[in-house]
Each structure stands twice: as C-alpha cells, then as structure tokens.
C-alpha cells in the first residue's frame, strides 16, 4: 500500500469496465461491498461495443444453457430499471432452417427447451409462417424456431448505466491501466498501488496479460450497420447452419445473423476468426459475411451500409466463460484473484448471470445455478462451440 | 412553349410539382423552398449541405427506395419523392 492512500480500502477491485466488469460491480455494490472499477480506455470499449447486444438462450451444452437461461431471467428483471437509450427490445430470435436437416435441429432445439420448462417461449414456424414473419427472407427456407424471450440491447448504454449506478451507490470508477494484478491489489502503469480485499480480472480479451496462462484467446469478428429501414426485419435472425458448419472452433467462418435496432437500422453479421490479432476490417471476410447475408435476404444488398468494423471476443476452448478463483492467484491470507472472462460472443447475455455467480461465490452465498462448469480449475477439452 | 415541353412532372410528399430536365432532386427541394430533406435519428430536421454526394444530408425516398441522395439523382418524369422532414 502506498503512503498517503486515503479512504477505506475497496473490498473488491475490478479490472475492466466492459459489461462483465460493470455487472459485477453493480451486483457487488448492491451486496454492500465497497467497489472500485479500473478501466484503461473508454467504458465498454472492447467486445461490449463491438458486438451486437443479442440476449440469447443457447444450448450447445447444458452449462451454456443454464447460464444463458438464468441470465435472460436477470435481464427481464433488470429491464424496467434500464434507461430508454439501453434500447431493450424483446424482439425474440428466429433460428432459421434452410433445409430439412436443419429442421431436425429446430425440433431438437425445441424439445430441449420445452423439456426445460420453456414451452411457452418457443414456437416452430413452417415456411409460410416464416415468410409471414419475415418477408425479406428468401423463398424456399424450411422453417424456423422462434425463441420469444430473447432480446436485443444497446450495450454501451447499458454499461454506462450500470457504472453510473455503481458510482451513485458509493462505488468508484477510475481510469488507469493495470499492469499487475494480485490477490490484495493492483499496480497501475503510473506505479500507483491500489489495495483491495479481493480482485477480479474482467479484462476480456486482455485478461491473459494480467493472469498469464488462462486459456483465453481473441476471436475476431466483423459487423456492418445499415441506415434506417424501419420494419424491414422484426426478429433477430440467425441461420441454424451457424451451428452445424459455420462455427467450428478452428477455421474461419461466417454465418447469417441480422439484428433489427430500435432506430430501424440493421446490424449484419457475423464472422469468426482465430489467430488474427490485427483490428482492421478485412475485405475478404467482410465480403464473405455480406454475401452470406444476401443468400438469406436477397434485398439486403440494396440497403445502404453506414459503417463496418471488427472486434475481438475472448474465447475459451470449451466455449464457457471462466468464473471463479484463479488457481494461480490464491493469496496465503485467503484473498484471491478472481476471473470473469472468456465469454466469447455471449458476454452481453451472460454478464448478469456471471456477476451473480461471482459475487455469490465471493460472499459464500448459495449460487442460483451450479457454478462448477465455469470454474477456471475445470478440465479442458476442445469443444465444438459457438456463441 | 418549348420551355413548357421540357417540364417534368413529379410528386413530392404527394404534392404535384414540376422540374426542368437536368435538375437534381435536391435542387428541386431548394427551389421549392423546402429547407429540409429528412430527420435525424433524434428527430432533428436536416438539410442538404455539400451538394456533391458526400454529406448524405439530402437523403430522401425516391420511388420507394429509401436513403437516396437527392443531390445525386436527376428529376425524372413521374418520380415520387418522399421526405420525412
């Protein structure tokens, strides 16, 4: 601790002011903890800003389902508190089947969700119902699964609101670059030392710099956003081919994924690349991604795109986040470095559930869902995953 | 009378107007005293600025196609132009 440090120590020091760090801070401050969030760049400026803001229940694994489903419940609870500019839109997701094989996946997914109590929240659409629901889709598609609770938010404004609430409730937000993270505090680039009762690494794709050896790698993605075309698309639209061919864990891939914004703008995705660390938009990947969109929505090629960009998702080998104590970061006094990263493309959805699980563990409270699947100490295998 | 023959007949927001061949839609809006072409996402009225296709402030719906730049489109006989300003 540096001499002259004023005020009480924070109980919890969180590195990273993206949606995961912000959600943890909000959960912790409401639990009565003293919280400091340290962010080196703009609030929510990493994957939180680069992604779509799709709140989606996923079922690649039971653990992924448990966390996304629980998190959706948290989002629905949070919704009345969110400001208008968070643009919470309960538009639902349509998982689109191009052929009969993919309709098999629609039925499997439906059965999976119904078996877990979601019978009221899913609906199978036949080709005619799909065309009626989304007339801009091409003809000849086999059908879709509609997941009603899924929603869309404008993540940067959610992050800002969460951190405003943290500060209003007595927490602290400070700008600084953390260069060392320990169970009892953090060292900033300017040499300052911040003491804390516990620390959390919620630095997204940058997390391995502070907790070396964790299995988090950047997975690049591209997005495009159009001008305003209100009514053009009504649901978040995702191709089911996303599951079977497009998103293996090793090769570059694209998938049809279109999101309507409250303004009438459309976000067009998606792409996934490993092993690329340059942030530039790549013409070839962008072209593949947009051509995929045109295959599903022929008219989308006539819309005016305003901006394209790329960002990085923090990916793990089994497509589940790391939530829990960092095994290499346990202090002798029982203090610990905690991890909350590796959410890949599901970090917006699972931020709220992650926050609850992390703070519950920190305080020794019972967790609402089993937390072991997300522990950083779990055994690793190479999952074929998505998200 | 030759001048009359070169007149094109268009509709802007349902109102019948005329233009001469060679005028852009943005020029027509200006000539009609319409100071704005569109509204921003926050509802502000926006008007053409650059007149050369760069600023995108002159976007209007032309024959049902949204977000056309009025300064880059020549008036045509029978054209339907819609502003939201």
């Amino acid at each position: 601790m540096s001499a002259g440090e004023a005020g009480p120590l924070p109980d919890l020091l969180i590195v990273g002011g993206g949606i995961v760090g912000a959600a943890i801070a909000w959960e912790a401050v409401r639990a009565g903890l003293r919280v400091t969030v340290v962010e080196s760049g703009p609030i929510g400026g990493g994957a939180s800003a680069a992604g779509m803001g799709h709140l989606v229940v996923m079922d690649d694994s039971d653990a992924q389902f448990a966390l996304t489903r629980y998190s959706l419940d948290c989002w629905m609870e949070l919704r009345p508190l969110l400001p208008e500019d968070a643009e919470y839109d309960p538009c639902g997701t349509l998982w689109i089947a191009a052929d009969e094989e993919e309709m098999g996946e629609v039925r499997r997914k439906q059965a999976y969700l119904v078996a877990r109590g979601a019978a009221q929240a899913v609906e199978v659409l036949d080709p005619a119902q799909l065309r009626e629901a989304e007339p801009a889709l091409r003809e000849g598609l086999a059908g879709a699964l509609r997941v009603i609770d899924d929603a869309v938010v404008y993540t940067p404004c959610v992050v800002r609101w969460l951190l405003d609430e943290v500060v209003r409730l007595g927490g602290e937000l400070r700008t600084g670059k953390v260069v060392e993270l320990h169970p009892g505090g953090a060292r900033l680039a300017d040499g300052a030392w911040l003491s804390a009762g516990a620390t959390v690494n919620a630095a997204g794709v940058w997390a391995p710099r502070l907790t070396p050896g964790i299995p988090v790698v950047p997975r690049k993605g591209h997005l495009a956003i159009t001008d305003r075309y209100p009514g053009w698309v009504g649901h978040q639209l995702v191709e089911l081919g996303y599951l079977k061919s497009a998103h293996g864990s090793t090769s570059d891939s694209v998938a049809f994924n279109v999101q309507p914004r409250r303004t009438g703008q459309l976000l067009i995705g998606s792409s996934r690349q490993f092993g690329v660390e340059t942030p530039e938009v790549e013409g070839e990947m962008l072209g593949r991604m947009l051509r995929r969109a045109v295959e599903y929505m022929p008219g989308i090629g006539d819309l005016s795109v305003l901006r394209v960009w790329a960002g990085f998702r923090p990916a793990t080998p089994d497509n589940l986040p790391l939530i829990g104590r960092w095994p290499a970061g346990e202090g002798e006094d029982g203090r610990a470095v905690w991890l909350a990263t590796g959410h890949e493309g599901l970090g917006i959805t699972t931020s709220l559930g992650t926050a609850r699980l992390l703070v519950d563990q920190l305080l020794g409270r019972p967790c609402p869902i089993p937390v072991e699947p997300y522990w950083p100490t779990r055994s690793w295998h190479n999952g074929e995953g998505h998200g | 009378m030759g001048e009359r023959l070169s007149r094109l007949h268009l509709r802007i927001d349902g109102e019948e107007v005329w233009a001469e061949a060679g005028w852009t839609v943005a020029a027509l809006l200006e000539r009609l005293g319409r100071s704005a072409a569109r509204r921003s996402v926050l509802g502000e009225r926006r008007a053409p600025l650059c007149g050369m296709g760069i600023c995108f402030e002159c976007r209007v719906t032309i024959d049902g196609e949204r977000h056309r730049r009025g300064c880059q489109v020549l008036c045509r006989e029978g054209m339907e132009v819609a502003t939201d300003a």
Side-chain angles (χ1 to χ4, degrees):
Chain A
M1 191 189 313
S2 65
E5 186 173 337
L9 298 180
D11 297 313
L12 192 60
L13 186 148
I14 299 162
V15 185
I19 187 136
V20 171
I24 292 168
W26 186 64
E27 190 72 43
V29 85
R30 288 187 309 145
L33 298 178
R34 283 190 302 275
V35 175
T36 295
V37 177
V38 186
E39 167 60 54
S40 62
I43 292 306
S48 300
M52 277 186 164
H54 185 199
L55 308 181
V56 55
V57 173
M58 295 283 288
D59 60 0
D60 294 347
S61 63
D62 290 340
Q64 190 187 60
F65 172 77
L67 185 58
T68 54
R69 180 63 258 174
Y70 173 68
S71 295
L72 251 293
D73 291 340
C74 296
W75 277 104
M76 288 192 277
E77 207 179 302
L78 180 63
R79 182 184 172 191
L81 303 179
L82 289 172
E84 190 62 25
D85 65 7
E87 295 183 6
Y88 191 109
D89 183 2
C91 60
T93 302
L94 290 186
W95 292 95
I96 296 160
D99 54 31
E100 275 313 305
E101 185 190 352
E102 290 179 7
M103 275 309 280
E105 176 62 15
V106 161
R107 285 183 281 270
R108 185 208 61 76
K109 207 171 170 69
Q110 180 202 28
Y112 184 95
L113 296 173
V114 167
R116 283 156 186 79
Q120 304 303 315
V122 294
E123 180 185 9
V124 174
L125 305 187
D126 66 22
Q129 291 167 321
L130 178 57
R131 278 200 68 73
E132 192 182 341
E134 295 291 349
L137 286 169
R138 74 169 166 84
E139 289 185 54
L141 294 166
L145 183 70
R146 180 167 174 237
V147 183
I148 292 161
D149 288 344
D150 286 0
V152 161
V153 289
Y154 186 55
T155 312
C157 288
V158 175
V159 177
R160 194 216 58 230
W161 180 83
L162 286 168
L163 290 173
D164 283 351
E165 284 295 291
V166 166
V167 170
R168 189 177 67 81
L169 295 169
E172 187 192 4
L173 172 64
R174 59 186 288 170
T175 301
K177 185 176 169 61
V178 174
V179 292
E180 277 178 42
L181 193 60
H182 300 278
R187 175 86 55 203
L188 302 186
D190 64 7
W193 171 256
L194 303 176
S195 289
T199 60
V200 180
N201 185 357
V205 290
W206 298 281
R209 293 185 189 168
L210 297 174
T211 51
I214 62 170
V216 171
V217 294
R219 197 170 194 190
K220 186 171 180 176
H222 288 75
L223 283 179
I225 191 161
T226 70
D227 209 327
R228 289 173 277 153
Y229 299 92
W232 224 78
V233 169
H235 302 78
Q236 174 106 21
L237 305 176
V238 192
E239 65 161 292
L240 269 170
Y242 184 86
L243 303 177
K244 84 179 166 190
S245 64
H247 284 216
S249 60
T250 51
S251 60
D252 294 353
S253 64
V254 298
F256 170 68
N257 188 337
V258 166
Q259 176 179 97
R261 304 297 317 179
R262 276 268 181 93
T263 54
Q265 292 177 283
L266 302 177
L267 275 170
I268 306 172
S270 60
S271 76
R272 278 172 161 70
Q273 293 166 273
F274 279 121
V276 182
E277 306 218 355
T278 51
E280 287 78 18
V281 168
E282 296 165 56
E284 196 206 324
M285 283 308 290
L286 182 68
R288 277 177 65 188
M289 185 179 93
L290 295 177
R291 280 193 295 276
R292 190 72 178 161
V294 171
E295 283 172 35
Y296 277 81
M297 290 197 130
I300 206 168
D302 295 327
L303 306 189
S304 176
V305 167
L306 296 183
R307 196 164 75 87
V308 297
W309 66 94
F312 295 98
R313 315 164 177 93
T316 65
D318 63 1
N319 307 101
L320 293 173
L322 304 173
I323 309 169
R325 284 168 173 259
W326 181 38
E330 310 251 352
E332 285 172 9
D333 56 1
R335 291 195 281 191
V337 175
W338 295 75
L339 298 178
T341 182
H343 296 75
E344 215 206 316
L346 290 172
I348 316 305
T349 301
T350 56
S351 57
L352 299 185
T354 296
R356 179 68 185 275
L357 295 182
L358 192 115
V359 173
D360 282 347
Q361 291 182 84
L362 191 71
L363 297 178
R365 301 189 302 204
C367 292
I369 58 172
V371 73
E372 294 81 1
Y374 323 109
W375 277 351
T377 48
R378 66 188 182 259
S379 64
W380 296 96
H381 62 279
N382 286 317
E384 278 293 314
H386 333 285
Chain B
M1 291 301 284
E3 195 178 315
R4 287 255 162 152
L5 287 175
S6 72
R7 281 187 176 182
L8 306 170
H9 303 85
L10 301 78
R11 290 161 70 93
I12 295 184
D13 297 329
E15 181 192 343
E16 290 182 11
V17 299
W18 63 268
E20 289 189 16
W23 292 2
T24 66
V25 172
L28 174 60
L29 290 173
E30 175 66 26
R31 199 181 161 89
L32 291 170
R34 287 170 167 264
S35 59
R38 66 183 198 95
R39 286 185 187 271
S40 75
V41 72
L42 298 176
E44 302 156 316
R45 301 175 80 232
R46 308 290 291 192
L49 175 71
C50 74
M52 59 184 190
I54 305 298
C55 74
F56 281 73
E57 294 293 4
C58 60
R59 281 172 285 162
V60 291
T61 298
I62 296 179
D63 293 335
E65 192 179 341
R66 288 169 170 155
H67 305 300
R68 297 290 307 276
R69 282 167 291 173
C71 76
Q72 299 296 296
V73 179
L74 294 177
C75 293
R76 276 192 319 271
E77 180 65 28
M79 186 179 262
E80 292 273 351
V81 178
T83 76
D84 63 356

